[in-house]
Amino acid sequence: MEIRTILVPTDFSEYAEYAFTWALQMAADWQAKLILFHATAPISPLAFPDSVYLPELRRVEADMLADAEKRMAEFVGKKGSRAVVVETRVVVGEPVSEICQAVGREQADLIIMGSHGRTGLSHVLLGSVAERVIRHASCPVLVARKPKEV
């Protein structure tokens, strides 16, 4: 199996940063392109009172995208490598669905993502994006779990 494109979903957390570090090294070893990907959850007009107008929500959504693009640039600037081509993508949508769709669009051969390591009630209530991506992605998924600090 040849790995040419690695998709790295990020929520800008320390867990995602750890996965990005893994992805950079693997991309360098395989001479693969790396796509850093972020999905911003859409704003539902139903969640706001009638006093909030739709154009304002679209402006807020545009601001969220701009902020994500800025954070993406900072993320790459902080950890990036000259040895690896890193492209960035920011979309609006439900993260699991968007990650799985991006695999096809980008012809990704591998997903490398972080795990928050939630357990117990928080895992039951919030679920795990990584777990759902593993179940639905059409390519292999490597989940880089940050080691516990001793």
Side-chain angles (χ1 to χ4, degrees), residues 5 28 35 125:
T5 304
I35 299 173
L125 295 176

Side-chain angles (χ1 to χ4, degrees), residues 39-60:
T40 297
I43 298 175
S44 170
L46 300 176
F48 292 91
D50 292 338
S51 61
V52 178
Y53 297 104
L54 193 58
E56 289 177 33
L57 292 179
R58 295 299 158 233
R59 190 191 77 239
V60 168

